[in-house]
Amino acid sequence: MTRFTDRPDSTPDAPRPVQLRSALDELPSYRPGRPAPASGERPAFKVSSNENPYPPLPGVVEAAVSAAAEMNRYPDMFASGLVAVLADRLGVPPEHLATGTGSVGVLQQIVQATTGEGDEVVYAWRSFEAYPIVVGISGARSVRVPLAPGARHDLDAMAAAVTDRTRLVLVCSPNNPTGPVVGHDELAAFVRRVPEDVLVVVDEAYREFVRDPDGADGLALYREHPNVCVLRTFSKAYGLAGLRVGYAVAHERVADALRKTAVPFGVSGVAQRAAVESLAHEDALLERVEALVAERTRVREALLSQGWDVPVTHANFVWLALGERTTDFAAHCEAHGLVVRPFAGEGCRVTIGEQEANDRFIQLASDWP
Ligand SMILES: *Cc1c(COP(=O)(O)O)cnc(C)c1O
């Protein structure tokens, strides 16, 4: 009998490491926002992950708890209850919806459905930090197009970056972490320039916070173009970040592919029911979003009057392009109980949170030399 330790190629003192795909070697790991540190008398605030500071909408916890009583069963695999409500609201056929574990989960489904080794994915940079990770895992190559002045997408340069290896283009509007939206007309012109067999994803994670009437309307473009897909989430405005539920609106061929590449039963029954219940409380949702938008205006104006250069923002955060001083500023904030999100060498993203957190941020920004 052969014991596996007897294999001729095994050396007892130098076990060979498990073979992993080389695509993972250069992949950055996703870094979650640091939790707020325990600080003496004053409460500390985590404004590093663009979370909603409000608790879940009315009735949502109750709906989630009642769904939790059925956790011995697998959930509805295609979230058909949630899909029916969304299809009705958005005026799209239910077959055009695909759900996933947060919109990052859906994005992973999209990348798996469209790309493989050697293919190219075009997106702006800096943009959402999950993009290079999700693209890298598939073995595809990220083609990053630098932002234009004002921290906006440079759609001309992005169109020029599309080659015959391009399978996917990601457009983040409003852009995380800088804040500006992509204009509707410029995006429409861009989509006309992209080959019709290349999928264009409009990531609208912050759409509820947009107040620019000229901002891109991904759904309108999806209605006109079979190669446009819209990505949305319950994590930000709806405050369900911890439950992991997001969706894509796409034409049937694409939506079908996204259902195929989904983790089976990934969206829990608790998440499905909480999302349905959240959709039933639009007025409360809009009130909260409106209050956050008002706070966003207050914070940005305070920073501008302190002399900071802050890009226009239509999301629930502001961007300070601090360059080399980024990590020092983040440390200064953290020392005073405010955890922001530094991108070393570039800038800090600060989420609009509860009023007290925003007040503290304004004060810390003003104290900064
Ligand atoms: C937060 C965010 C998402 C969604 O995150 P999920 O929690 O996975 O739904 C998607 N895109 C952008 C740009 C984001 O900032």
Side-chain angles (χ1 to χ4, degrees):
M1 194 180 93
T2 310
R3 294 178 20 230
F4 44 81
T5 48
D6 294 338
R7 282 186 315 178
D9 57 351
S10 75
T11 40
D13 45 355
R16 287 185 304 165
V18 169
Q19 301 188 49
L20 300 174
R21 288 173 51 234
S22 59
L24 303 187
D25 293 347
E26 278 158 35
L27 220 57
S29 300
Y30 191 90
R31 288 184 310 148
R34 307 252 310 272
S39 76
E41 321 86 77
R42 295 209 298 175
F45 298 103
K46 176 188 176 200
V47 286
S48 54
S49 294
N50 297 344
E51 292 157 335
N52 195 316
Y54 291 95
L57 289 160
V60 171
V61 170
E62 292 76 2
V65 166
S66 90
E70 292 158 41
M71 63 171 79
N72 54 313
R73 303 290 178 190
Y74 285 108
D76 174 345
M77 179 141 150
F78 297 115
S80 39
L82 173 59
V83 161
V85 175
L86 288 171
D88 185 51
R89 292 214 163 199
L90 304 172
V92 305
E95 305 77 48
H96 286 204
L97 286 158
T99 56
T101 55
S103 55
V104 173
V106 185
L107 180 65
Q108 198 144 17
Q109 292 157 231
I110 293 172
V111 170
Q112 281 205 27
T114 54
T115 72
E117 214 74 43
D119 292 333
E120 295 177 353
V121 181
V122 173
Y123 53 86
W125 200 252
R126 178 164 283 276
S127 188
F128 187 29
E129 64 193 300
Y131 295 163
I133 300 171
V134 172
V135 171
I137 290 171
S138 80
R141 203 169 76 78
S142 282
V143 176
R144 301 173 177 194
V145 178
L147 294 172
R152 302 172 52 83
H153 278 52
D154 184 344
L155 291 177
D156 275 337
M158 288 176 71
V162 172
T163 70
D164 56 5
R165 304 304 321 249
T166 307
R167 294 289 172 277
L168 182 63
V169 180
L170 307 175
V171 177
C172 190
S173 180
N175 188 48
N176 176 6
T178 61
V181 288
V182 170
H184 187 75
D185 294 342
E186 57 170 346
L187 185 59
F190 173 79
V191 170
R192 285 194 295 272
R193 281 177 72 182
V194 173
E196 62 191 1
D197 59 354
V198 171
L199 187 66
V200 177
V201 171
V202 188
D203 185 342
E204 297 189 336
Y206 301 96
R207 70 173 298 274
E208 295 83 356
F209 299 100
V210 175
R211 293 295 177 272
D212 182 346
D214 300 323
D217 177 354
L219 267 192
L221 294 171
Y222 134 87
R223 290 186 211 280
E224 291 169 28
H225 301 274
N227 65 325
V228 171
C229 164
V230 178
L231 202 51
R232 294 196 177 165
T233 179
F234 286 93
S235 295
K236 307 287 161 57
Y238 285 90
L240 298 183
L243 285 181
R244 314 309 301 129
V245 51
Y247 61 95
V249 187
H251 288 264
E252 198 161 345
R253 180 177 156 76
V254 174
D256 251 346
L258 304 189
R259 287 186 287 266
K260 285 184 191 169
T261 51
V263 172
F265 308 108
V267 181
S268 71
V270 172
Q272 294 181 30
R273 289 274 289 282
V276 168
E277 191 64 26
S278 298
L279 286 167
H281 297 278
E282 193 115 80
D283 342 340
L285 170 88
L286 292 178
E287 242 171 66
R288 293 169 175 198
V289 168
E290 209 46 59
L292 289 169
V293 166
E295 279 292 280
R296 173 179 81 196
T297 306
R298 180 175 79 90
V299 168
R300 182 164 181 267
E301 281 173 1
L303 294 170
L304 292 176
S305 73
Q306 291 173 13
W308 290 88
D309 183 9
V310 189
V312 172
T313 173
H314 285 279
N316 65 344
F317 52 79
V318 292
W319 172 250
L320 299 180
L322 285 140
E324 295 310 316
R325 306 205 302 162
T326 296
T327 46
D328 287 347
F329 181 79
H332 159 71
C333 290
E334 191 159 331
H336 295 88
L338 194 75
V339 183
V340 302
R341 173 64 71 97
F343 296 91
E346 294 179 60
C348 279
R349 186 192 68 199
V350 184
T351 307
I352 302 299
E354 43 279 81
Q355 196 175 332
E356 201 184 339
N358 304 334
D359 286 343
R360 192 172 304 174
F361 172 45
I362 291 170
Q363 187 59 49
L364 288 167
S366 143
D367 295 345
W368 181 248

